[in-house]
Amino acid sequence: MSLPLWLLDDTGLLRNRKAEVRFTVYNDRFREVVSRCFEIADGGEPVRSLGTLDLNREQSKSSVLLFVAEILSQGESLFRTFYFTNTEVRRGGLFNLPRTTLALERDGDRVTVTNTGNNPAVGVHISSEGNAHRLTVSDNYFWLMPGESRTVTV
Protein backbone atom coordinates (compact mmCIF):
# COMPACT_ATOMS: atom_id res chain seq x y z
CA MET A 1 0.00 0.00 0.00
CA SER A 2 1.44 3.36 -1.02
CA LEU A 3 -0.19 6.44 0.50
CA PRO A 4 0.39 9.91 -0.97
CA LEU A 5 1.34 12.51 1.64
CA TRP A 6 0.33 16.14 1.17
CA LEU A 7 0.91 19.23 3.27
CA LEU A 8 -1.76 21.92 3.41
CA ASP A 9 -0.56 25.14 5.04
CA ASP A 10 -3.57 27.36 4.42
CA THR A 11 -2.84 29.48 7.52
CA GLY A 12 0.77 30.28 6.57
CA LEU A 13 2.10 28.62 9.72
CA LEU A 14 5.29 27.58 7.92
CA ARG A 15 5.92 30.81 6.02
CA ASN A 16 9.64 31.72 6.26
CA ARG A 17 10.27 28.85 8.65
CA LYS A 18 12.26 25.62 8.51
CA ALA A 19 10.25 22.65 9.69
CA GLU A 20 10.01 18.89 9.75
CA VAL A 21 6.84 16.98 8.94
CA ARG A 22 6.74 13.57 10.60
CA PHE A 23 4.27 10.81 9.74
CA THR A 24 4.13 7.81 12.06
CA VAL A 25 1.86 4.79 11.80
CA TYR A 26 1.02 2.73 14.91
CA ASN A 27 -0.73 -0.63 15.15
CA ASP A 28 -3.46 -1.63 17.62
CA ARG A 29 -0.83 -2.20 20.37
CA PHE A 30 0.74 1.26 19.80
CA ARG A 31 3.82 -0.31 18.23
CA GLU A 32 5.38 1.88 15.56
CA VAL A 33 4.83 0.28 12.17
CA VAL A 34 6.56 2.86 9.99
CA SER A 35 7.72 6.47 10.25
CA ARG A 36 8.74 9.00 7.63
CA CYS A 37 10.16 12.53 8.00
CA PHE A 38 10.23 15.34 5.46
CA GLU A 39 12.27 18.53 5.77
CA ILE A 40 10.60 21.80 4.77
CA ALA A 41 13.15 24.51 3.88
CA ASP A 42 10.62 27.34 3.94
CA GLY A 43 6.85 27.82 3.92
CA GLY A 44 6.66 27.98 0.13
CA GLU A 45 3.45 26.84 -1.48
CA PRO A 46 0.38 26.35 0.72
CA VAL A 47 -0.27 22.92 -0.85
CA ARG A 48 2.56 20.56 -1.66
CA SER A 49 3.18 16.89 -2.23
CA LEU A 50 5.71 15.48 0.25
CA GLY A 51 6.03 11.96 -1.10
CA THR A 52 4.56 8.63 -0.10
CA LEU A 53 4.27 6.41 2.93
CA ASP A 54 4.62 2.76 1.99
CA LEU A 55 3.18 -0.10 4.04
CA ASN A 56 3.60 -3.73 3.08
CA ARG A 57 0.98 -6.41 3.71
CA GLU A 58 2.45 -7.38 7.09
CA GLN A 59 2.58 -3.75 8.28
CA SER A 60 -1.05 -3.10 7.38
CA LYS A 61 -2.47 -6.28 8.99
CA SER A 62 -3.41 -4.65 12.32
CA SER A 63 -7.10 -4.39 13.25
CA VAL A 64 -6.56 -0.63 13.70
CA LEU A 65 -3.91 1.55 12.10
CA LEU A 66 -3.33 4.96 13.65
CA PHE A 67 -1.70 7.61 11.46
CA VAL A 68 -0.12 10.56 13.26
CA ALA A 69 1.09 13.63 11.36
CA GLU A 70 3.12 16.25 13.22
CA ILE A 71 4.80 19.48 12.15
CA LEU A 72 7.85 20.48 14.20
CA SER A 73 10.07 23.55 14.07
CA GLN A 74 13.15 24.08 16.24
CA GLY A 75 12.13 21.12 18.42
CA GLU A 76 8.64 22.53 19.08
CA SER A 77 5.48 20.79 17.95
CA LEU A 78 3.47 23.31 15.92
CA PHE A 79 0.62 21.02 14.91
CA ARG A 80 -0.43 17.39 15.27
CA THR A 81 -3.37 15.46 13.91
CA PHE A 82 -4.28 11.80 13.69
CA TYR A 83 -6.42 9.50 11.63
CA PHE A 84 -7.38 5.86 11.99
CA THR A 85 -8.30 3.14 9.53
CA ASN A 86 -8.82 -0.64 9.26
CA THR A 87 -11.62 -0.42 11.84
CA GLU A 88 -13.85 -2.56 9.62
CA VAL A 89 -11.49 -5.53 10.16
CA ARG A 90 -12.67 -5.85 13.77
CA ARG A 91 -15.68 -3.74 14.79
CA GLY A 92 -15.04 -1.74 17.94
CA GLY A 93 -11.29 -1.94 17.45
CA LEU A 94 -10.78 1.61 18.71
CA PHE A 95 -12.41 0.67 22.01
CA ASN A 96 -9.93 -2.18 22.43
CA LEU A 97 -6.77 -0.05 22.22
CA PRO A 98 -4.49 -0.23 25.26
CA ARG A 99 -5.71 2.13 27.98
CA THR A 100 -3.87 5.04 29.53
CA THR A 101 -4.59 7.49 32.35
CA LEU A 102 -5.16 11.23 32.22
CA ALA A 103 -4.98 14.03 34.78
CA LEU A 104 -7.07 17.17 34.44
CA GLU A 105 -6.32 20.56 35.98
CA ARG A 106 -8.57 23.59 35.61
CA ASP A 107 -7.53 27.21 36.08
CA GLY A 108 -10.35 29.61 35.20
CA ASP A 109 -11.24 29.06 31.54
CA ARG A 110 -8.12 26.96 30.88
CA VAL A 111 -7.98 23.19 31.24
CA THR A 112 -4.72 21.24 31.13
CA VAL A 113 -4.89 17.55 30.30
CA THR A 114 -1.82 15.41 31.00
CA ASN A 115 -1.28 11.85 29.83
CA THR A 116 0.00 10.20 33.02
CA GLY A 117 -0.05 6.69 31.54
CA ASN A 118 2.32 4.61 29.44
CA ASN A 119 0.35 4.63 26.17
CA PRO A 120 -0.72 7.39 23.80
CA ALA A 121 -4.13 8.91 24.52
CA VAL A 122 -6.23 8.90 21.34
CA GLY A 123 -9.17 11.23 20.79
CA VAL A 124 -8.84 13.17 24.04
CA HIS A 125 -11.77 15.51 24.37
CA ILE A 126 -13.33 17.79 26.98
CA SER A 127 -17.05 17.52 27.63
CA SER A 128 -19.56 18.60 30.22
CA GLU A 129 -22.54 16.31 30.65
CA GLY A 130 -25.76 18.18 30.04
CA ASN A 131 -23.92 21.25 28.73
CA ALA A 132 -22.73 20.13 25.30
CA HIS A 133 -24.87 22.78 23.61
CA ARG A 134 -23.12 25.55 25.59
CA LEU A 135 -19.56 24.21 25.78
CA THR A 136 -16.94 25.48 23.35
CA VAL A 137 -13.40 24.10 23.54
CA SER A 138 -10.44 25.60 21.66
CA ASP A 139 -9.16 22.12 20.68
CA ASN A 140 -10.79 18.73 21.07
CA TYR A 141 -10.20 15.14 19.99
CA PHE A 142 -6.42 15.36 20.11
CA TRP A 143 -3.55 12.90 20.59
CA LEU A 144 -1.30 12.96 23.68
CA MET A 145 1.89 10.95 24.00
CA PRO A 146 2.82 9.56 27.48
CA GLY A 147 3.91 12.42 29.75
CA GLU A 148 2.59 15.07 27.35
CA SER A 149 0.18 17.88 28.35
CA ARG A 150 -2.15 20.09 26.34
CA THR A 151 -3.89 23.23 27.60
CA VAL A 152 -7.17 24.24 26.02
CA THR A 153 -9.56 27.12 26.61
CA VAL A 154 -13.17 26.33 27.54
Side-chain angles (χ1 to χ4, degrees), residues 4-151:
L5 301 175
W6 290 81
L7 175 66
L8 169 63
D9 183 19
D10 56 348
T11 64
L13 178 69
L14 300 178
R15 192 175 298 124
N16 301 320
R17 179 182 256 181
K18 288 183 180 181
E20 175 183 279
V21 181
R22 183 182 309 151
F23 291 90
T24 307
V25 180
Y26 297 93
N27 67 15
D28 57 4
R29 297 283 123 220
F30 291 123
R31 302 283 184 261
E32 186 177 301
V33 174
V34 67
S35 186
R36 203 73 216 271
C37 292
F38 300 89
E39 297 293 325
I40 305 295
D42 61 50
E45 295 298 315
V47 178
R48 73 177 85 186
S49 172
L50 298 176
T52 61
L53 186 68
D54 299 314
L55 292 151
N56 63 34
R57 185 178 190 88
E58 189 65 29
Q59 291 170 316
S60 62
K61 243 172 54 171
S62 177
S63 65
V64 175
L65 287 174
L66 300 143
F67 296 80
V68 180
E70 186 168 24
I71 300 172
L72 302 117
S73 181
Q74 298 178 344
E76 176 189 354
S77 177
L78 302 177
F79 179 80
R80 181 188 300 144
T81 191
F82 71 96
Y83 182 77
F84 52 88
T85 189
N86 278 15
T87 54
E88 62 278 348
V89 172
R90 185 183 316 141
R91 297 244 182 244
L94 287 174
F95 297 110
N96 295 317
L97 293 173
R99 302 282 184 197
T100 193
T101 55
L102 300 173
L104 184 92
E105 188 176 307
R106 183 170 181 186
D107 183 16
D109 66 347
R110 297 169 59 85
V111 173
T112 301
V113 182
T114 302
N115 182 349
T116 57
N118 295 319
N119 294 306
V122 180
V124 177
H125 63 280
I126 310 295
S127 62
S128 177
E129 194 172 319
N131 294 302
H133 63 289
R134 294 187 302 204
L135 182 67
T136 303
V137 182
S138 62
D139 192 9
N140 240 349
Y141 293 95
F142 48 88
W143 177 285
L144 285 177
M145 293 301 285
E148 186 178 20
S149 296
R150 167 90 46 100
T151 299

